[in-house]
Amino acid sequence: KQWYQRRVRASWCKVLLLAFDAHILKAHIPPNVPFVLFYFFNIQQSFKTVLLDYFWSVFADKNQPAIIRQCGMMYLASFTNRSKCVSKGDFKKIMLSTATWCHSYISNNDEVSVKCNHIAFYAACQSLFYMFCYRHREIFASSEYKMFLDKVDLHLIVYCKLNPLKHCNPHILRMFNKLTSMYEIVTCSAVIERNARMLLPSTQLMGNEEYPFKSCQLPLTSKFIQPFFRDMDCSSEFQSEFRTYKVSENFEDWDSVVGEVSIAMSPDF
């Protein structure tokens, strides 16, 4: 009986991913639709690795259009941040894999070329910063945080010639700058100030820039989502900025960066 039930769940997993790939990933859809995927893979946590691997494979596929690769990374980062089924160990593996990919990309493309499309790289960097901001407490709760951060090597990414800070969402950038300064990991201020002085063309991420799995706006549905939804404690040093940012009603809500999120609150990432 257990074998049969698992086979049925595996079949549903396959159907959902096929439907997602065909109808959701490549289309503009209402923001609540992805929560079908979120809910299923949280109640069936044994399949979470399948979902995370799928998101990564979409991002890593060089044959995919840049906007689809961007979407794959944004789904991966958002699910990693929001879903309680993604443990600290899973989170650190995903963050390290993303950083390693960025390091490899930098070593092969450490020159800004007009002909080269760096959208996937900028999406990966922004998502890396986003994951760091959202779950930074879990990183520093470990006694091995220095070893982990040495492997992630944010300094290499921040100071590379591709200049990812220039192309990062300004509110993610603001929080990332505050946190890295607070933890004395890397100094972003110099790069940010230099970018502000220089008239550099900015490569905006393509399409709908919202991170998925933001707060569910359907009251009857949200009660099923909330038990699996991870909130981030908003530390006191960011409370005033959080309140200011939360006034926004679009992608750039401070909610999305600081993480003081609850289901059915104002929109965020």
Side-chain angles (χ1 to χ4, degrees), residues 13 17 37-38 41-42 45-60 72-87 89-95 97-98 131 135 213 230:
C13 172
L17 287 181
L37 205 68
F38 184 92
F41 283 94
N42 272 278
Q45 296 187 12
S46 58
F47 294 106
K48 68 177 179 182
T49 303
V50 177
L51 181 64
L52 294 171
D53 287 346
Y54 165 74
F55 288 148
W56 180 262
S57 68
V58 171
F59 166 73
M73 175 52 67
M74 296 178 84
Y75 268 97
L76 176 66
S78 189
F79 191 82
T80 299
N81 284 346
R82 302 295 191 179
S83 174
K84 288 183 177 179
C85 78
V86 181
S87 66
D90 294 330
F91 154 67
K92 293 175 75 173
K93 288 178 182 178
I94 292 167
M95 190 171 171
S97 295
T98 305
M131 288 187 285
R135 300 185 65 170
F213 308 126
R230 175 183 284 109

Side-chain angles (χ1 to χ4, degrees), residues 10 23 31 44 69 82 86-87 107 143 149 177 186 195 223 248-249 253 255 262:
H23 302 293
Q44 304 295 337
R69 297 182 68 187
R82 302 295 191 179
V86 181
S87 66
S107 65
S143 59
L149 290 175
N177 182 34
V186 59
N195 289 338
K223 64 182 180 181
S248 175
E249 290 295 328
D253 286 352
D255 228 5
S262 64

